Amino acid sequence: MIAVRVIAFLKPGVLDAQGQAVQQGLEALGYAVERVRVGRAFELVLPEQDWEENVRRMCERYLTNPLIEEYRYERLGPAAPPAKGQDDP
Amino acid sequence: MSGRPAPAGAAGRQPHRARAASRAAGGERTTPRSAVRLGPRLSSLSLERLLRAGPRPEPAPLPPARAETGALTFGIVVFPGSNCDRDCEYVLREVTGVQTRMIWHRDPELGALDAVVLPGGFSYGDYLRAGAIAAVSPVLGAIRRFAEGGGLVLGICNGFQVLCEAGLLPGALIHNRDARFHCAWTYLRVERTDTPFTCAFAPGEVVRMPVAHGEGNYFAEPATLAELERERRVLWRYVDARGEPSPQANPNGSLHHIAGICNAAGNVAGLMPHPERASESLLGGTDGRRLFASMVRWLLERRRG
């Protein structure tokens, strides 16, 4: 098993209302921020065989909507699996 | 009630007294309708104001005789998190007068149906993206086959989001331009009346239906938008009371002020406004019932050949 992190953002040109709202909040706190984009991160633990092709397929079919989102991914390696959450046995 | 399987021909068609008796026996609705009282929070004064709200809609045409509409069966899909499924079922059965059947999201087959409605709500809590998880549920395979065979499919609000995520309709519904949830009455212009979903409206008619969504901002690539316009597949557009589109009349920032569209074949449609919440004058308007009446009219005409 390996761990992979997928990051998805709305494509440039697609209105990121959440990003704009977060930016307004930062400005209200007095921070100068030129741009904020809000995205989504996934951490997957999956078999190593064909992982890259499989991750791409998952992203295209389900994890992202290719019409409005773009994504990138990185392998975290066996030494850095996602932390166990409260759902894990 | 709606979720209970009923023998063919019997669902929802019992006389009132028999229904009330079965409710009392089954404990489904223990308060007879006549015993419902207005609570202190809904005083007769506020009810009066509710009834007066907005311009008085034109009286809706009477639906066809029940003997005819009762021969049609509409399926209402229930996902975990659907919350307008019962409203849709109620309006279809009690106002439109068709037979209804609830369809569970895990059902791999639809059975014999004349039309399918994907209702509003927050399927799977809107996790991932609104409609994305519902779009890969088993029932969508059956709905896809039903649509490919020419069956009528209508997606309302979350149902529209599901149809877009499933690729049965083009485009996507993204966060409203102001990142806020909008719950308000809107005016819609009916862009064409030669479709199964609009044939009971008048050409260019301006109607009122409420919206209630956080992600109803219609987005599509320029080429897709051009195709939708060229093929006249925008069925409803947000407008002001005079029928003019404007940013102020558009509650969510939808491109081309799109409120609802149909597929290329014309048998699958989706819209963000809620026709089922605008189907009885007590709730402020009856324009929405004509969307369901359109489907009925079209289905009955198709049946007559």
Side-chain angles (χ1 to χ4, degrees):
Chain A
M1 291 288 164
I2 60 159
V4 174
R5 181 177 295 145
V6 175
I7 308 265
F9 281 106
L10 287 170
K11 282 180 181 172
V14 177
L15 176 69
D16 182 2
Q18 280 193 80
Q20 288 182 1
V22 171
Q23 183 176 348
Q24 283 170 20
L26 286 171
E27 285 166 358
L29 290 170
Y31 296 104
V33 180
E34 193 182 306
R35 196 168 65 105
V36 176
R37 285 206 294 165
V38 172
R40 197 193 316 265
F42 306 86
E43 284 184 345
L44 315 170
V45 176
L46 73 170
E48 182 166 17
Q49 197 182 351
D50 301 327
W51 71 270
E52 206 162 354
E53 194 188 335
N54 284 331
V55 166
R56 265 193 233 120
R57 280 206 188 129
M58 288 179 214
C59 287
E60 300 286 334
R61 283 185 67 183
Y62 183 57
L63 294 180
T64 75
N65 182 340
L67 179 63
I68 52 172
E69 290 170 306
E70 59 188 14
Y71 65 90
R72 59 176 189 265
Y73 55 86
E74 58 180 325
R75 182 174 169 168
L76 301 176
K84 278 206 169 188
Q86 58 188 166
D87 297 338
D88 291 322
Chain B
M1 223 164 76
S2 42
R4 182 187 57 199
R13 294 280 74 81
Q14 310 161 26
H16 276 288
R17 198 176 301 169
R19 235 179 348 209
S22 79
R23 277 189 195 121
E28 282 176 339
R29 186 202 292 256
T30 49
T31 316
R33 265 181 210 191
S34 55
V36 174
R37 303 241 188 282
L38 294 175
R41 300 195 59 190
L42 187 64
S43 67
S44 58
L45 187 71
S46 66
L47 182 64
E48 201 178 306
R49 201 161 49 218
L50 188 72
L51 290 168
R52 274 205 316 260
R56 196 159 289 282
E58 290 295 309
L62 286 174
R66 293 225 161 187
E68 236 184 337
T69 60
L72 299 172
T73 305
F74 279 48
I76 300 103
V77 186
V78 185
F79 298 104
S82 295
N83 66 10
C84 301
D85 45 337
R86 296 300 173 113
D87 307 47
C88 282
E89 194 277 337
Y90 164 80
V91 166
L92 285 166
R93 175 169 42 84
E94 292 291 326
V95 179
T96 312
V98 296
Q99 305 266 358
T100 55
R101 183 149 54 81
M102 305 311 267
I103 311 288
W104 188 232
H105 66 109
R106 276 204 274 257
D107 289 353
E109 297 295 334
L110 296 178
L113 287 179
D114 295 290
V116 174
V117 177
L118 288 87
F122 299 85
S123 57
Y124 295 92
D126 275 355
Y127 293 168
L128 194 57
R129 295 173 304 279
I133 300 179
V136 297
S137 59
V139 77
L140 255 292
I143 291 172
R144 205 182 294 276
R145 291 191 296 277
F146 182 71
E148 281 164 5
L152 293 191
V153 179
L154 173 69
I156 300 167
C157 196
N158 188 228
F160 185 16
Q161 295 165 337
V162 173
L163 290 175
C164 286
E165 278 286 343
L168 283 164
L169 289 173
L173 293 143
I174 62 174
H175 281 276
N176 294 348
R177 69 183 151 202
D178 58 2
R180 290 187 188 185
F181 191 95
H182 282 259
C183 187
W185 283 89
T186 58
Y187 290 99
L188 309 173
R189 190 172 68 204
V190 183
E191 298 291 75
R192 59 188 290 188
T193 55
D194 55 346
T195 78
F197 305 95
T198 57
C199 59
F201 292 95
E205 191 179 352
V206 176
V207 298
R208 287 172 74 242
M209 291 185 210
V211 294
H213 59 246
E215 287 148 284
N217 184 349
Y218 186 79
F219 174 88
E221 304 266 347
T224 308
L225 285 170
E227 186 182 300
L228 286 173
E229 298 289 1
R230 193 172 58 245
E231 297 178 356
R232 297 182 58 231
R233 286 162 53 194
V234 179
L235 302 187
W236 301 277
R237 230 184 278 271
Y238 299 112
V239 292
D240 61 22
R242 291 163 303 145
E244 295 300 323
S246 74
Q248 294 76 31
N250 179 337
N252 51 35
S254 287
L255 295 176
H256 292 212
H257 307 290
I258 285 173
I261 56 169
C262 68
N263 66 344
N267 65 316
V268 178
L271 78 167
M272 289 311 295
H274 285 272
E276 82 282 7
R277 296 189 192 178
S279 288
E280 290 182 299
S281 52
L282 181 65
L283 298 182
T286 57
D287 288 339
R289 68 164 72 162
R290 279 185 292 151
L291 195 159
F292 304 117
S294 297
M295 296 170 76
V296 164
R297 181 184 292 184
W298 190 86
L299 285 165
L300 289 176
E301 271 168 30
R302 183 172 73 171
R303 197 170 267 204
R304 284 187 208 108

